[in-house]
Amino acid sequence: MDRNTIIGLVLIVGIVLTFAIINSSGEEDTPRKPLKTQVDSLPPVQDTPPVDLNGGNQSLSLQKGNLPDSVFNKLTEAQQDSVIHHQDSVLKESRRIQEFGYFSEMAEGEDKVIRVVTDKLEFDLHTKGGVVRPMILREYKTYDSLPLPLLTDSENNYMALDLSHNYGTDSKFPVQGLLSKDLYLKTDYDGDEIKLSGSQSKTIRFRGAVDNAHYFEFVYTLYGDSYDYGFKVNMVGMEDLLPKGKAKFDWAAAVPKTEKSMQLMRDKTAVYYRQSEEVDNLTERSTEPEKEELSDQAVDWVAFKSQFFSQTFMVDEGSQGLANVVVTQNTPAPTVFDDPNSGEVVRNMGMSLTLPIVGSGSLPSYNFTVVNAPLEFDLLDDYDRDLTRQIALGWGPLKYINIYMVIPIFNFLEGSIASYGIIILILALLIKLLLYPLTFRTYISSAKMRIINKTPEIKALEEKYKDDSTKLQQEKMKIYRSMGANMFGGCLPMLLQYPFLISLFFLFPNLIELRQQGFLWADDLSTYDSILELGFNIPFYGDHVSLFTLLMTVSIFIYTIINQQMQGSTVNNPVMKYFPYIMPLIFLGFLNNYSSGLSWYYLVSNIISITQAQVSKAFINEEALLEKMRSTAKEKKKKGGSQSRLEKWAEKQQQKQKEIQKSRSGRQGGGGNGRGGGRGKRR
């Protein structure tokens, strides 16, 4: 090794050591500026070209001296890389502060995931944002037997503080759209998994700190045997960093598809909320974006509700209600253009509220409870906060039939009967037996009308007034009244049955007890039972054949025919004559995509009605009933009697009809004279 080489190596080592000492000394001796000073002193972000070591910046140029060409070139490249790296670091920090402001130190980090497993729930807690996702309900499966996600791992699912701010009106670096979900937080839990069971509980914190005097925290309190967890927001010194003395809190979720029918899910999915002890919701069946500002009064809770499950964000009892709440929902476009049921997201939902900052040192803690639960009536009723209003039980008094009759019967029977198809059959039988006294009155009323319409008196009237329908009806009603028959006598008992049919129409598609419960050929009584896929869509009907709905329609046709025979009356109006036969077709189209459990109930109910009608008809002695009605007519004739309201109404209608006909005859006569006179003049 010659002398020049040795000298070169010594110089290289000396230069490198000197450069390292200078840089290290500079970092230790220079005090860290406050965050605001750092931001104000940074230059605007711009693309800066690399330093020209050969001529553009002489202060950074090297003197070759006696250095070999290879050593000089390596040293030059090393110095150039160092300068460029330093320049890129400054540029990167400038950009990070522009985007994250006071919270720039939390912009980078590692997303540590903590798995939480309880008796009811399984979900991940992330140090990035302190968010929960995904979450599954351990006791339930999707329609295709996969773990049921209440939340997916999508970044569209989060709870976050809005940390947008600025450094004054003349600031170069305003920060907008910054959410805590984008920051890396610190947690007080060192492990990777938390398992809880029974009465066990665990509290875990996630803190985002600017410094020891300025930070926010998300505190989760987890329970072993519960569908809910506690959620607390703590903020210390944040009034110095956030504008207008308030913090905005956002909650967003994309409701995943968990059931077979996307359309049925969408029809039952919406944002619900309780305000001033009244529960309301955004439109379930609408596909248009919706937004509702609830700033007039405090809100007790907000729920993202799907067909059978919901997430409810509510204040703890005794706490101040949610303020300045805004709720939104929108339906994503289908992934397949011509298939509205395609896609995996049912609806996107959102909520925002404000947490006012009071005092000069800290923001009070806000305590919430997040309920992640199936829509089971008894489960939600235990919270005593009207959470059961998320279950569609029917409007007005109809819901009380479900609350105090149908649901208790289900709860009682499911303890001893495994098949919900059999439970529905027993329910239909019990309701029909309960209503049979009223139904029997309908059969008696129909029998009276049928018998009277066969009498010689009615036949004579029909022949006498065959050209005067109003007079015919008037005379018929006199006979009906005299013989103790009422043409509307069977209507009231029939109407009393409809509340049960309508209340169950609301309940069955929302009854989680029916979900994934098979019966006969149906795999799931909460949705349609398809025995044949058509491969094409029929408007108003669908792309499949539901056998329960088809059988139910046939039973309605049969019952309609029997009912018409029992009434024994002919209707001249074509619309009224064929309307009973049109209704089953409407039900066929409407219920083909509905709950097969509901179609099964209607089928059983119709079969029982047909059986009751035939049995009742067999026990009704028409000759004895006619003799009794004739005796009643004789007694009334002896005592005399006034006209019924219906008879008076018929007479008035007859008088009006005569006046109209008379008026028309007068106009036609006058018009004829005028036309005759006109023709005479033309001749």
Side-chain angles (χ1 to χ4, degrees):
M1 184 180 296
D2 59 16
R3 185 180 63 181
N4 290 338
T5 301
I6 295 174
I7 293 174
L9 291 175
V10 170
L11 288 174
I12 291 173
V13 173
I15 292 172
V16 171
L17 290 175
T18 302
F19 185 76
I21 293 172
I22 291 174
N23 284 343
S24 175
S25 175
E27 289 179 359
E28 293 176 359
D29 295 340
T30 304
R32 183 174 181 84
K33 297 180 182 179
L35 182 57
K36 184 178 187 305
T37 306
Q38 293 182 49
V39 173
D40 290 341
S41 64
L42 284 172
V45 175
Q46 57 185 0
D47 294 329
T48 306
V51 177
D52 182 3
L53 296 179
N54 293 323
N57 192 334
Q58 295 297 329
S59 62
L60 296 177
S61 298
L62 296 173
Q63 300 296 326
K64 180 178 180 182
N66 294 323
L67 292 175
D69 291 341
S70 59
V71 175
F72 178 79
N73 291 338
K74 288 181 180 180
L75 185 58
T76 300
E77 290 174 3
Q79 186 176 16
Q80 184 180 28
D81 291 342
S82 176
V83 172
I84 292 174
H85 176 73
H86 176 73
Q87 199 170 35
D88 287 344
S89 299
V90 173
L91 186 62
K92 185 176 180 181
E93 183 178 1
S94 174
R95 286 174 171 165
R96 186 171 67 246
I97 292 177
Q98 281 196 42
E99 184 177 354
F100 295 93
Y102 298 118
F103 309 96
S104 61
E105 295 297 324
M106 292 174 266
E108 296 179 351
E110 178 187 359
D111 183 16
K112 178 183 177 182
V113 178
I114 302 171
R115 169 69 63 168
V116 178
V117 181
T118 72
D119 294 339
K120 306 294 185 182
L121 307 172
E122 185 173 344
F123 56 91
D124 289 344
L125 282 168
H126 295 254
T127 56
K128 184 179 181 181
V131 300
V132 173
R133 66 168 180 255
M135 173 183 286
I136 65 172
L137 297 179
R138 300 188 64 193
E139 298 174 330
Y140 295 89
K141 300 290 184 181
T142 64
Y143 71 97
D144 48 358
S145 302
L146 297 175
L148 189 138
L150 199 58
L151 289 172
T152 65
D153 202 25
S154 168
E155 292 192 1
N156 293 326
N157 301 312
Y158 62 85
M159 294 181 183
L161 283 170
D162 187 339
L163 303 172
S164 302
H165 60 278
N166 57 59
Y167 299 106
T169 56
D170 58 344
S171 172
K172 302 176 183 177
F173 305 104
V175 176
Q176 300 296 329
L178 175 60
L179 298 176
S180 60
K181 72 180 183 69
D182 299 318
L183 302 178
Y184 293 86
L185 312 183
K186 302 295 183 181
T187 180
D188 60 352
Y189 185 73
D190 294 332
D192 297 326
E193 186 176 61
I194 299 174
K195 287 188 175 182
L196 300 172
S197 182
S199 60
Q200 294 177 326
S201 63
K202 175 70 176 178
T203 298
I204 181 171
R205 298 172 180 268
F206 294 87
R207 176 178 292 188
V210 176
D211 53 38
N212 290 335
H214 302 85
Y215 62 86
F216 63 88
E217 282 184 336
F218 297 147
V219 184
Y220 292 89
T221 302
L222 314 173
Y223 306 102
D225 188 22
S226 179
Y227 284 105
D228 62 63
Y229 59 79
F231 179 69
K232 180 188 292 186
V233 179
N234 294 328
M235 285 191 278
V236 175
M238 297 297 288
E239 69 275 10
D240 296 334
L241 308 181
L242 301 181
K244 300 180 182 179
K246 65 181 180 181
K248 184 181 176 184
F249 183 82
D250 292 338
W251 177 31
V255 178
K257 179 184 177 184
T258 57
E259 314 305 319
K260 180 165 64 172
S261 173
M262 172 71 86
Q263 187 59 50
L264 193 55
M265 272 202 76
R266 282 191 173 141
D267 288 345
K268 308 295 180 183
T269 300
V271 176
Y272 277 66
Y273 54 88
R274 184 176 187 250
Q275 188 179 32
S276 301
E277 299 185 356
E278 292 293 329
V279 176
D280 205 347
N281 61 278
L282 300 183
T283 308
E284 289 183 325
R285 293 179 178 271
S286 174
T287 58
E288 297 296 322
E290 290 193 66
K291 179 179 180 180
E292 187 76 22
E293 296 183 3
L294 311 174
S295 57
D296 53 336
Q297 296 176 354
V299 176
D300 183 40
W301 53 258
V302 174
F304 296 166
K305 177 251 179 190
S306 65
Q307 185 177 1
F308 295 112
F309 307 96
S310 79
Q311 284 190 289
T312 305
F313 185 91
M314 60 185 182
V315 296
D316 288 353
E317 285 193 281
S319 301
Q320 182 180 356
L322 308 177
N324 299 319
V325 173
V326 178
V327 291
T328 61
Q329 70 179 32
N330 68 79
T331 304
T335 55
V336 179
F337 177 74
D338 58 347
D339 183 5
N341 292 324
S342 61
E344 295 301 323
V345 176
V346 181
R347 282 213 168 94
N348 295 305
M349 299 181 173
M351 176 200 74
S352 67
L353 57 95
T354 56
L355 305 176
I357 297 176
V358 295
S360 58
S362 66
L363 175 70
S365 297
Y366 280 80
N367 299 289
F368 308 103
T369 297
V370 182
V371 183
N372 314 275
L375 294 176
E376 294 180 8
F377 184 87
D378 292 340
L379 172 65
L380 299 182
D381 193 46
D382 288 341
Y383 287 94
D384 197 25
R385 303 278 287 275
D386 283 335
L387 296 186
T388 56
R389 295 285 299 277
Q390 298 179 52
I391 306 174
L393 299 174
W395 39 262
L398 296 179
K399 65 182 178 183
Y400 298 111
I401 295 175
N402 290 322
I403 293 174
Y404 297 112
M405 181 179 176
V406 178
I407 293 177
I409 289 175
F410 264 85
N411 292 339
F412 175 76
L413 294 177
E414 67 183 359
S416 56
I417 300 176
S419 171
Y420 276 89
I422 301 299
I423 292 177
I424 291 174
L425 186 150
I426 295 174
L427 175 67
L429 184 61
L430 290 175
I431 292 177
K432 280 296 182 180
L433 290 176
L434 176 67
L435 297 175
Y436 184 68
L438 297 174
T439 306
F440 187 73
R441 287 186 59 186
T442 302
Y443 296 147
I444 293 294
S445 180
S446 298
K448 286 181 178 181
M449 296 297 298
R450 184 178 68 254
I451 294 169
I452 292 174
N453 286 330
K454 294 179 181 179
T455 59
E457 295 94 323
I458 294 296
K459 298 296 182 183
L461 288 176
E462 290 176 347
E463 180 64 26
K464 183 178 180 179
Y465 299 107
K466 60 183 178 180
D467 297 326
D468 190 347
S469 59
T470 303
K471 182 64 176 177
L472 175 62
Q473 287 301 115
Q474 182 181 352
E475 294 300 321
K476 276 186 175 182
M477 281 186 284
K478 288 180 180 179
I479 295 179
Y480 295 155
R481 180 171 175 268
S482 66
M483 298 181 73
N486 186 347
M487 62 187 301
F488 299 110
C491 293
L492 181 59
M494 286 294 293
L495 289 175
L496 292 176
Q497 300 183 52
Y498 284 116
F500 292 90
L501 299 177
I502 298 173
S503 62
L504 293 174
F505 173 82
F506 283 105
L507 178 65
F508 272 32
N510 303 284
L511 194 63
I512 195 170
E513 284 80 1
L514 298 183
R515 184 179 182 273
Q516 296 182 351
Q517 296 294 325
F519 180 67
L520 299 179
W521 55 83
D523 297 327
D524 188 343
L525 289 172
S526 70
T527 187
Y528 60 84
D529 57 308
S530 175
I531 61 165
L532 177 63
E533 297 294 330
L534 300 177
F536 55 90
N537 187 67
I538 300 176
F540 188 68
Y541 182 73
D543 58 359
H544 62 273
V545 176
S546 173
L547 184 54
F548 272 132
T549 306
L550 192 61
L551 294 175
M552 180 269 300
T553 304
V554 173
S555 70
I556 295 178
F557 270 113
I558 296 173
Y559 182 66
T560 300
I561 294 171
I562 292 175
N563 202 39
Q564 293 288 334
Q565 292 174 349
M566 290 187 67
Q567 291 179 0
S569 60
T570 58
V571 180
N572 295 325
N573 189 325
V575 176
M576 296 302 297
K577 184 177 182 179
Y578 295 107
F579 183 74
Y581 300 99
I582 296 174
M583 283 301 296
L585 296 177
I586 296 176
F587 276 108
L588 175 64
F590 190 76
L591 295 180
N592 190 61
N593 296 287
Y594 227 58
S595 164
S596 57
L598 181 65
S599 296
W600 166 237
Y601 174 85
Y602 286 164
L603 172 61
V604 173
S605 181
N606 290 333
I607 292 174
I608 296 173
S609 295
I610 292 170
T611 304
Q612 288 178 338
Q614 296 300 101
V615 171
S616 300
K617 184 178 179 180
F619 279 93
I620 295 175
N621 189 325
E622 294 189 359
E623 293 182 359
L625 186 59
L626 177 60
E627 185 62 30
K628 183 178 179 180
M629 288 190 293
R630 289 192 184 281
S631 299
T632 301
K634 290 179 181 179
E635 291 294 327
K636 288 185 177 181
K637 188 175 182 180
K638 290 180 181 179
K639 296 180 180 180
S642 59
Q643 288 181 313
S644 67
R645 292 181 180 179
L646 198 57
E647 290 172 344
K648 292 178 180 179
W649 174 82
E651 284 190 356
K652 289 181 180 180
Q653 291 298 113
Q654 184 183 22
Q655 185 63 32
K656 287 181 179 180
Q657 188 174 5
K658 288 181 178 180
E659 291 175 357
I660 291 172
Q661 290 176 350
K662 184 178 179 181
S663 175
R664 287 177 178 174
S665 298
R667 287 198 301 270
Q668 289 174 358
N673 292 335
R675 288 192 294 273
R679 287 193 294 270
K681 288 180 181 180
R682 284 195 294 273
R683 286 196 297 269

